[in-house]
Amino acid sequence: MSEAAEFFDCVVVGGGPAGATTATDLARMGRSVLLLDKPGRIKPCGGAIPLRAIRDFAIPDAQIVARIKLARMIAPSDTAVDMPVGDGFVGMVDREHFDPWLRDRASLAGADYRAGTYERIDRDADGTTVHYRVGDAAHAVRTKLVIGADGASSPVGRAEIPGHAGMKQVFAYHEIVRPPADGSGSFAATRCDVFYQGKHSPDFYAWIFPHGDTISIGTGSAKKGFSLRTAIRNLRESTGLAAGETVRREGAPLPLKPLKKWDNGRDVLLTGDAAGIVAPASGEGIYYAMLGGRLAAEAAEAFLTTGDVRALTQARRRFMKLHGRVFLILRIMQAVWYRNDALRERFVSICRDKDVQQLTWESYMNKELVRKKPMAHVKIFFKDMAHLFRWVSP
């Protein structure tokens, strides 16, 4: 490699919420950053973000395409339970526009954004080289640190982090649809519909989320052989949305559990989906990706300042201290309640409970377990047990 090759303190691979946030924060810290993002890809995503994300990451109103005031949970029997948000709202973003805005913000902060495809990392006595491609042209830059924010099937992670290829995943698929011109169809502009029905997903859930002028209609499953496209076709037909124009279709894997190790102890750190930062049970990822990106930037800054590779471990340690308990609870919840339609029916019935609704929204909006109401937690525990062991009817 020529001594004249470009040098960056950090190369961030992947320009979604995690990577773009990492690049923005590092650039604001005065670091030279190259942000690489593979062009032409839009991740399938319901697009929900809590008020905590809007506040912590300064997301402007222009990016909020819908404001959700109600979640409707639909059981296998088609029984619907409404969960009003209360004060505030859940913001909805469209990743087609949100991700480019995040990358633009990184550029404005000083990061060098390039629409390129990552290929590999080489190392020699002089340091680390990242190879990437823009169209047919090959390029290479030198760096001290590579941050992989390139999705659940991360090429960076698979090459650099042992065990990454075995990451447990659920495959998500959605269709962005314009509502039928005649105004028909079962949806509302301020309501998220969540379908806990085995016919639409045997181990996850399906959704209809408004995106302003369009709707995200999606599902996910880890079951091999289950047709996600067929499930969405059936869901659209059953909700009167089959006649709507399909704007685009997208699919991608989502991780089910944070990896045990996010760095290689040398010059690579993972974040976002590449590190497994997606909430079990709900599949929520945008807030956690952006937080993971911020923690990655802070760990990277510590590493670049001190040269101590142990600083890279703080990204995972801090994330799990903040949210490891929540992820564990959600993983248990998914394992217990998503197994079959009988249990899904009972799970939806629990959502009628006002204590459950209030604690759910408070925890979701603030991204913290609510500790101010211990007796409510006790009540919910016993109610859960009653439904699980069928001491009460759904």
Side-chain angles (χ1 to χ4, degrees):
M1 180 62 59
S2 167
E3 293 182 1
E6 283 185 286
F7 173 83
F8 293 89
D9 290 325
C10 182
V11 175
V12 179
V13 181
T21 301
T22 303
T24 299
D25 285 5
L26 277 173
R28 288 174 175 171
M29 294 173 189
R31 294 296 178 178
S32 59
V33 184
L34 172 60
L35 175 60
L36 283 177
D37 189 66
K38 186 177 181 179
R41 179 180 176 274
I42 306 170
K43 182 183 175 182
C45 179
I49 56 172
L51 291 176
R52 177 78 182 264
I54 296 172
R55 180 177 69 248
D56 287 2
F57 299 101
I59 298 170
D61 286 346
Q63 288 299 319
I64 307 301
V65 296
R67 298 183 178 218
I68 301 305
K69 301 294 292 183
L70 178 77
R72 175 165 291 175
M73 325 296 275
I74 298 101
S77 64
D78 288 328
T79 300
V81 174
D82 287 347
M83 298 179 64
V85 172
D87 295 335
F89 62 91
V90 177
M92 305 298 294
V93 298
D94 188 332
R95 297 289 294 273
E96 180 183 18
H97 306 292
F98 184 61
D99 288 16
W101 175 80
L102 289 172
R103 293 190 286 270
D104 287 344
R105 182 162 71 172
S107 296
L108 290 171
D112 188 337
Y113 164 61
R114 300 177 190 177
T117 302
Y118 165 86
E119 291 193 325
R120 70 184 189 279
I121 297 171
D122 285 338
R123 299 175 180 90
D124 57 28
D126 295 324
T128 302
T129 301
V130 175
H131 297 264
Y132 67 98
R133 187 171 293 276
V134 177
D136 294 329
H139 300 267
V141 297
R142 300 191 77 87
T143 190
K144 293 180 181 178
L145 178 65
V146 179
I147 295 183
D150 48 342
S153 298
S154 166
V156 175
R158 289 178 176 237
E160 300 292 332
I161 307 298
H164 192 284
M167 175 191 284
K168 293 183 178 180
Q169 300 175 343
V170 58
F171 200 85
Y173 169 79
H174 80 159
E175 296 177 359
I176 297 295
V177 176
R178 297 192 192 282
D182 61 4
S184 62
S186 178
F187 78 98
T190 60
R191 187 186 76 218
C192 282
D193 293 347
V194 187
F195 296 81
Y196 294 100
Q197 300 179 327
K199 62 185 177 182
H200 298 314
S201 173
D203 54 338
F204 200 56
Y205 65 84
W207 69 84
I208 298 177
F209 288 177
H211 279 187
D213 294 336
T214 60
I215 314 165
S216 166
I217 307 176
T219 188
S221 178
K223 298 285 187 182
K224 293 184 178 180
F226 182 78
S227 174
L228 301 179
R229 285 179 177 253
T230 299
I232 293 307
R233 182 176 67 244
N234 293 339
L235 179 58
R236 290 180 62 174
E237 290 175 352
S238 66
T239 55
L241 296 170
E245 176 194 356
T246 302
V247 178
R248 63 182 194 267
R249 297 179 174 90
E250 295 146 3
L254 298 177
L256 292 175
K257 185 179 180 182
L259 290 175
K260 292 183 178 180
K261 191 172 179 61
W262 294 2
D263 70 278
N264 69 350
R266 181 177 182 179
D267 57 4
V268 170
L269 174 64
L270 302 182
T271 192
D273 284 14
I277 307 177
V278 171
S282 69
E284 182 194 356
I286 295 177
Y287 168 77
Y288 294 115
M290 297 184 79
L291 174 63
R294 176 151 292 171
L295 296 177
E298 292 170 358
E301 173 63 17
F303 165 70
L304 293 169
T305 299
T306 66
D308 187 346
V309 296
R310 291 174 296 181
L312 298 177
T313 65
Q314 76 180 34
R316 185 185 190 279
R317 183 171 62 251
R318 292 176 64 196
F319 184 91
M320 296 306 291
K321 182 178 181 179
L322 289 169
H323 298 292
R325 185 181 175 196
V326 172
F327 275 37
L328 175 61
I329 291 170
L330 290 174
R331 193 159 60 247
I332 293 171
M333 188 186 84
Q334 182 174 351
V336 170
W337 295 110
Y338 290 15
R339 286 180 291 168
N340 56 55
D341 273 354
L343 288 169
R344 280 186 278 265
E345 191 77 34
R346 293 177 179 277
F347 171 72
V348 172
S349 72
I350 294 173
C351 296
R352 293 192 183 96
D353 187 271
K354 298 303 180 183
D355 288 326
V356 170
Q357 293 184 11
Q358 184 174 3
L359 289 175
T360 295
W361 286 122
E362 288 182 10
S363 297
Y364 172 79
M365 290 295 194
N366 299 303
K367 290 300 167 220
E368 295 174 352
L369 288 174
V370 180
R371 297 181 174 87
K372 295 180 181 179
K373 301 176 181 177
M375 289 310 299
H377 285 283
V378 172
K379 286 170 60 180
I380 289 170
F381 172 79
F382 283 109
K383 289 173 183 176
D384 282 355
M385 292 303 99
H387 282 272
L388 180 61
F389 293 107
R390 303 191 180 192
W391 299 332
V392 298
S393 57

